Amino acid sequence: MSRKDEYEYLRTTAEEYVFRESKRLGLSRRRFLELSLGGALGAFLLACDGDDEPAASPTPAATGGDASFLPVKDVPETLFRDLRPNFEMRWNAMQGEGYHVPNSKFFVRNHTRTAQIDAGSWRLRVHGTGVERELEVTLDDLRRMESRTVSRYVECAGNGRSFFETIGGQKASGTQWLLGGIGVAEWRGVPLNVVLQEAGLKPSARDVMPAGLDERQVRRPMSVEKALAEDTLLVYEMNGEPLPPDHGAPVRALVPGWAGIANIKWVGSVEVSEEPLYTQWNTETYVFVGPTYQPDPPSLGPRVSSQNIKSALELDWPATLQPGRQTLRGRAWSPAAPIGRVEYSIDGSAYVEARLDGGRNEAGAWALFEFDWDAPAGEHDIRVRATDTAGNSQPDTVPFNEQGYLYNGVVPHPVRVA
Ligand SMILES: Nc1nc2c(c(=O)[nH]1)N[C@H]1C(S)=C(S)[C@@H](COP(=O)(O)O)O[C@H]1N2
Ligand SMILES: [Mo]
């Protein structure tokens, strides 16, 4: 395991954090852990302000329909479910689309509201103990640097959260996503690596943290190893267009495979540190809390790391179909490896293998699949289950966690044929 892996990075960082903080406070490691679990060290543990992801997602009632929480782009009912300030992609909107989700259909997940930033006066500041010199670059400077184009998904760690209640029987806090908190786009930008070298990355550097220019200044650290990965980018183009405001204009981070929150939008600065960086986004939120999880100091529970394998049908939820023979399509994705196979089951019958379309299929993006169904009139449910070439598969059930992260169980998709 390397620190390029999110789980390994967070684990080793936690150990070091406990060591350093207990030393700083003149406590034994054990006493520090006792106090932190009792909540007495909360102030020290939260390196930054702000509330957590679930609480930060006001219901439509709480925002009173406040238009300032709406994205800048159009979010028609036909394409999105309104979970403001978040907007979920409707999967039936992907019927007939190619490999990428068009910008007009891409889900929006904002902790507050879309920041509107003037690209002309925008600067990126690279700073911290881990670089030889502070660097300031304009958008034109970035555009002149070596660029790279990759197809990758961004997926919210809460994608699928509503199934904890509707399938598991226990409601998790936070935005009640079905499965539309994901999208694959073609992203173009400068490898973060290139910018870090420009600032004189020190061999002693260990953590890298992009910070957003939105109200909450959302930020979350990553390891230097991940920052140096060839597909970790500072993105300025999405599907061949300038990055749209709702997706982080003028520049966002792309951190493939890691939890959605790592893909910081409206990046204004990147801190490079010789010391581990900690934020509430890896101690209080984006952690697993629930009956099957133990506290994992200094976090309230094991930290959410990489996204996991999932699949979805390109159908509305619930779907209505005409009776008769037809082809149903969907997409499956895994951060770990290409998709190996997808199976489907109708009304609980034995699983049958679906066809992969033979097109693009890479780790960190998705594969398209399809199967034929002679649909009889009535109420049905269809389950799809993906397995990647590393052997990861979707489970039947997922243990509950209070904040509702990473639900990747097989779900019965309700279908009415009439
Ligand atoms: N600055 C900033 N970056 C952010 C967020 C945010 O609220 N502010 N939300 C994060 C979360 S939780 C997710 S899932 C992705 C969503 O990206 P999208 O809105 O482009 O789909 O952006 C991440 N980057
Ligand atoms: Mo997210």
Side-chain angles (χ1 to χ4, degrees), residues 89 135 226 246:
M89 179 189 78
L135 183 72
K226 185 65 176 174
D246 298 311

Side-chain angles (χ1 to χ4, degrees), residues 94 97-101 151-152 184-185 331-332 357 359-362 364-368:
M94 285 308 288
E97 288 291 352
Y99 194 70
H100 301 109
V101 179
S151 295
R152 292 287 184 270
V184 171
R331 298 167 195 243
D357 83 338
R360 301 182 69 166
N361 178 8
E362 355 172 358
W366 56 28
L368 278 59

Side-chain angles (χ1 to χ4, degrees), residues 340-399:
R341 69 171 189 279
V342 177
E343 301 152 290
Y344 67 97
S345 156
I346 292 174
D347 299 331
S349 62
Y351 279 96
V352 176
E353 207 160 324
R355 300 185 291 273
L356 293 181
D357 83 338
R360 301 182 69 166
N361 178 8
E362 355 172 358
W366 56 28
L368 278 59
F369 65 86
E370 60 175 41
F371 55 90
D372 301 321
W373 185 36
D374 194 0
E379 304 286 339
H380 302 282
D381 60 61
I382 306 182
R383 289 173 166 77
V384 288
R385 176 172 71 190
T387 303
D388 69 21
T389 57
N392 301 296
S393 199
Q394 294 182 255
D396 286 329
T397 57
V398 179

Side-chain angles (χ1 to χ4, degrees), residues 53 106-112 154-156 212 214 218 246-247 252 260-261 263-266 286:
E53 160 158 51
F106 207 94
F107 82 101
V108 179
R109 198 286 181 246
N110 286 342
H111 281 81
T112 52
V154 170
E155 181 182 28
C156 189
D214 48 343
V218 174
D246 298 311
H247 301 292
R252 83 176 302 167
I261 177 108
N263 301 271
I264 296 296
K265 305 194 277 191
W266 315 292
Y286 296 94

Side-chain angles (χ1 to χ4, degrees), residues 285-301:
T285 63
Y286 296 94
V287 294
F288 293 105
V289 179
T292 57
Y293 296 102
Q294 298 299 313
D296 192 1
S299 304
L300 300 177

Side-chain angles (χ1 to χ4, degrees), residues 199-398:
L201 185 68
K202 296 182 189 168
S204 53
R206 44 175 306 149
D207 276 22
V208 175
M209 183 162 70
L213 294 167
D214 48 343
E215 284 164 36
R216 294 276 302 283
Q217 304 192 335
V218 174
R219 54 201 180 278
R220 195 159 184 269
M222 71 183 105
S223 61
V224 163
E225 290 82 348
K226 185 65 176 174
L228 297 181
E230 56 177 14
D231 57 357
T232 297
L233 306 181
L234 289 169
V235 163
Y236 53 75
E237 266 179 36
M238 179 177 182
N239 292 320
E241 293 167 21
L243 189 66
D246 298 311
H247 301 292
V251 172
R252 83 176 302 167
L254 180 73
V255 186
W258 285 36
I261 177 108
N263 301 271
I264 296 296
K265 305 194 277 191
W266 315 292
V267 173
S269 63
V270 177
E271 179 177 356
V272 186
S273 170
E274 291 178 292
E275 277 142 35
L277 296 170
Y278 248 94
T279 76
Q280 62 155 132
W281 286 285
N282 46 19
T283 55
E284 286 229 311
T285 63
Y286 296 94
V287 294
F288 293 105
V289 179
T292 57
Y293 296 102
Q294 298 299 313
D296 192 1
S299 304
L300 300 177
R303 287 153 291 270
V304 171
S305 53
S306 309
Q307 295 291 134
N308 52 13
I309 185 167
K310 297 193 191 68
S311 57
L313 289 164
E314 292 173 1
L315 295 177
D316 205 355
W317 188 289
T320 305
L321 298 175
Q322 304 275 319
R325 198 165 178 79
Q326 53 204 293
T327 302
L328 300 185
R329 297 191 169 80
R331 298 167 195 243
W333 59 97
S334 166
I339 296 299
R341 69 171 189 279
V342 177
E343 301 152 290
Y344 67 97
S345 156
I346 292 174
D347 299 331
S349 62
Y351 279 96
V352 176
E353 207 160 324
R355 300 185 291 273
L356 293 181
D357 83 338
R360 301 182 69 166
N361 178 8
E362 355 172 358
W366 56 28
L368 278 59
F369 65 86
E370 60 175 41
F371 55 90
D372 301 321
W373 185 36
D374 194 0
E379 304 286 339
H380 302 282
D381 60 61
I382 306 182
R383 289 173 166 77
V384 288
R385 176 172 71 190
T387 303
D388 69 21
T389 57
N392 301 296
S393 199
Q394 294 182 255
D396 286 329
T397 57
V398 179

